[in-house]
Amino acid sequence: IVSSVVFGVFEQRSIIRFFSNMFLFEEKCDEEWLDYAMEEATCNTLTREPVKAFNTGLLNHVSYETELQTIMQTVICLCGTGDRRTEKRKGYETEMRN
């Protein structure tokens, strides 16, 4: 129950804007992106549990690299071009199955 409440906080438009600007966009994200993200966040319950698991890893500083490399499902990793951590993530390009 607690994770659902906390996750609900992360589904707020202002929080999505903050993290999108911080990690996904070189400039600021636009309203079209936020509309799409909000629609996905609030309407797609099938994606909620995997996103919860991933975000839990971020909050606990746990890497899911091994799990992401072995998963059979197609995985998309997004990273902003201005993100200084991009260089450390090259393995995701070369080691993913799909």
Side-chain angles (χ1 to χ4, degrees):
I1 294 175
V2 172
S3 67
S4 294
V5 172
V6 172
F7 198 74
V9 170
F10 286 109
E11 290 177 329
Q12 292 179 16
R13 190 177 189 91
S14 60
I15 300 298
I16 292 172
R17 176 185 290 115
F18 173 79
F19 284 105
S20 294
N21 289 341
M22 184 174 241
F23 299 115
L24 298 179
F25 290 87
E26 193 167 9
E27 301 294 326
K28 293 186 178 201
C29 65
D30 59 22
E31 292 302 312
E32 182 179 0
W33 164 259
L34 289 170
D35 291 343
Y36 178 75
M38 289 298 300
E39 181 180 325
E40 287 295 309
T42 57
C43 296
N44 194 344
T45 57
L46 293 175
T47 59
R48 180 173 264 192
E49 292 306 314
V51 172
K52 276 185 187 179
F54 180 79
N55 285 335
T56 300
L58 288 178
L59 295 174
N60 291 317
H61 303 290
V62 174
S63 172
Y64 287 109
E65 186 174 357
T66 301
E67 288 83 354
L68 289 170
Q69 289 172 351
T70 59
I71 192 169
M72 297 304 292
Q73 177 179 336
T74 300
V75 176
I76 298 173
C77 294
L78 301 174
C79 188
T81 57
D83 189 340
R84 64 184 179 275
R85 300 167 303 164
T86 300
E87 193 59 39
K88 296 178 185 175
R89 297 178 176 158
K90 292 293 184 188
Y92 290 113
E93 292 178 26
T94 59
E95 302 298 325
M96 293 293 196
R97 287 183 172 206
N98 297 314

